[in-house]
Amino acid sequence: MPYIPLEDHLPGITGLLEYSKETAAPIRELTQILLRGPSTLTEGERELIATVVSHRNQCTFCTTAHTAAANILLGEEETSARVKQDIITAPVSEKMKALLTIAAQVQQGGKNVTTASVQKAKEAGATDIEIHDTVLIAALFCLYNRYVDGLATVTPTDPAFYKGLGERLKNNGYNRLPQGYEHLKK
Amino acid sequence: MAHIQVEENIPGIRSLVLFRPETGKPLYDLAQVLLRGPSSLSEAERELIAAYVSYRNECIFCMSSHAAAARCLYGPDKNLVDEVLHDMQQSGVSDKLKALLHIAGKVQVLGREVTPEDIAAARVLGADDREIHDTVLIAAAFSMFNRYVDGLASFTPTDLAVYEAMGERMAKGYVLPASPEPK
């Protein structure tokens, strides 16, 4: 049970974003720009960064939700599974391996990012903006994962829930739904 | 030197938001609403939570600047800031704030570290839902800000006077910098 009263029909992050709409607005805006805004990284690649960081922060809700979003965007399920297992042998480009490695270092702590790993990303063709966005996406999910688990929000166990959420993240992105969330009440 | 090409000599997060103002705007908006928006926790207490988490994340830039802002906001009680950063449990802040700082410290490690007992202890001392929410979110947000600032190796000034001036500016609120400061 969550540590504060959240709406029953809104598990995970959504209940928190509805509980505190003033703080939710900039968090949603930041996420929309980083994961859905113009970028030379695909939406699927950016969801993989979110997935890897959430997985390493042991946040089941965020990991499952962003895995679902990545799978829908990539059109397959192997890549998200493999990057969680081992970045280096996963079926992604050398550039993505280097960026995911940086994201994993950010998850540990900002100071863990090494000049060598940044150099490797640059040699694999990563631009400064891509490196910037990778670090900020990884840092943002260190926020989300702590927010979601730190207040003990509900983590659904039904895979159908995450499939629906993944679809919503693909079709609507991270902006608050214009009609709100009342329609999700059963 | 920073990992990406940001303006030299601009410290910490300012250099990063000038590099990418699109993401800088919601980051500053978040800091403003969390640390200066309506709350039953004082601005000084919220800055103290930010400084405490940054200290635990060993982010010198965020720790020094938010400690300076907290000292500024605490005014005559500014020694509380250094007491908390030295030894939180032995400091002179209220027991309620200690319980909230304890929760913030758990969040700094990982969300799942926070236990029902930690929450119950804060409630017994008078913390309400909103204060618990805000504490967790401030701690989570600084787990982001600290990683952003250090993950890109932004410039961390070593001159304490720089932070004192920064703290005075921050005490007034968080506004996205429009252009590089004059040298």
Side-chain angles (χ1 to χ4, degrees):
Chain A
M1 219 180 75
Y3 294 142
I4 57 173
L6 304 172
E7 296 213 63
D8 288 336
H9 71 293
L10 300 176
I13 187 67
T14 317
L16 291 172
L17 296 175
E18 287 298 285
Y19 176 85
S20 177
K21 295 195 186 71
E22 311 75 28
T23 48
I27 295 174
R28 282 184 177 282
E29 187 186 343
L30 178 62
T31 314
Q32 181 67 18
I33 295 168
L34 281 172
L35 295 188
R36 294 293 179 273
S39 171
T40 44
L41 297 174
T42 67
E43 294 182 6
E45 287 171 331
R46 288 177 274 168
E47 289 288 348
L48 287 178
I49 298 171
T51 302
V52 163
V53 171
S54 300
H55 176 67
R56 287 169 185 248
N57 278 328
Q58 304 168 51
C59 181
T60 305
F61 179 85
C62 297
T63 305
T64 317
H66 293 281
T67 297
N71 290 348
I72 292 167
L73 288 161
L74 298 172
E76 42 91 7
E77 299 186 353
E78 193 200 343
T79 306
S80 68
R82 296 265 304 270
V83 292
K84 281 183 276 187
Q85 250 169 35
D86 180 17
I87 292 166
I88 299 308
T89 59
V92 294
S93 67
E94 289 305 312
K95 183 175 88 177
M96 268 311 287
K97 286 180 193 180
L99 291 175
L100 288 169
T101 300
I102 291 173
Q105 291 173 338
V106 170
Q107 183 269 330
Q108 290 288 307
K111 286 188 173 49
N112 289 56
V113 178
T114 62
T115 306
S117 64
V118 172
Q119 195 51 40
K120 200 161 182 190
K122 288 182 181 173
E123 281 164 13
T127 64
D128 275 10
I129 293 253
E130 288 172 341
I131 292 166
H132 170 278
D133 285 7
T134 297
V135 169
L136 188 49
I137 292 168
L140 174 61
F141 279 83
C142 288
L143 177 158
Y144 272 125
N145 302 157
R146 283 169 171 77
Y147 193 22
V148 162
D149 283 342
L151 288 164
T153 64
V154 171
T155 303
T157 51
D158 180 3
F161 168 84
Y162 294 99
K163 198 152 182 292
L165 180 52
E167 290 288 348
R168 204 166 82 211
L169 295 179
K170 174 178 179 275
N171 298 328
N172 299 94
Y174 293 91
N175 296 318
R176 186 172 187 270
L177 293 180
Q179 72 273 32
Y181 295 87
E182 285 299 305
H183 67 288
L184 294 176
K185 266 187 189 161
K186 294 216 175 74
Chain B
M1 220 179 75
H3 288 317
I4 56 173
Q5 245 174 352
V6 298
E7 198 85 41
E8 269 180 66
N9 300 318
I10 307 274
I13 192 159
R14 284 175 86 84
S15 69
L16 305 179
V17 301
L18 286 165
F19 174 82
R20 185 104 151 91
E22 301 87 341
T23 48
K25 185 193 160 284
L27 284 168
Y28 270 61
D29 287 349
L30 178 62
Q32 176 67 18
V33 66
L34 260 183
L35 302 178
R36 296 293 175 275
S39 170
S40 51
L41 295 174
S42 70
E43 294 181 10
E45 289 170 329
R46 287 177 275 165
E47 287 288 353
L48 184 56
I49 296 170
Y52 182 66
V53 170
S54 303
Y55 161 76
R56 292 177 54 101
N57 276 327
E58 299 176 48
C59 180
I60 305 292
F61 176 81
C62 298
M63 191 265 286
S64 307
S65 56
H66 290 280
R71 280 187 208 105
C72 208
L73 291 161
Y74 268 114
D77 294 326
K78 67 177 181 188
N79 59 316
L80 288 175
V81 177
D82 297 282
E83 286 178 25
V84 164
L85 296 180
H86 178 67
D87 183 346
M88 190 270 281
Q89 290 297 348
Q90 298 302 315
S91 72
V93 298
S94 70
D95 285 344
K96 179 177 113 178
L97 189 53
K98 282 183 193 174
L100 292 173
L101 286 164
H102 172 75
I103 291 171
K106 290 286 194 79
V107 172
Q108 181 265 328
V109 178
L110 215 53
R112 58 196 296 158
E113 293 290 317
V114 181
T115 65
E117 291 74 29
D118 297 327
I119 302 293
R123 285 194 193 281
V124 166
L125 294 163
D128 63 20
D129 290 335
R130 187 75 220 187
E131 290 167 342
I132 289 168
H133 168 275
D134 289 357
T135 298
V136 170
L137 185 50
I138 291 169
F142 279 83
S143 297
M144 169 182 70
F145 286 123
N146 299 162
R147 282 171 171 80
Y148 185 38
V149 163
D150 280 342
L152 289 166
S154 66
F155 169 51
T156 300
T158 48
D159 180 2
L160 284 178
V162 171
Y163 292 104
E164 210 174 306
M166 221 182 279
E168 282 169 26
R169 190 179 63 212
M170 289 157 69
K172 297 186 192 113
Y174 294 90
V175 184
L176 187 67
S179 59
E181 293 171 302
K183 303 227 165 83

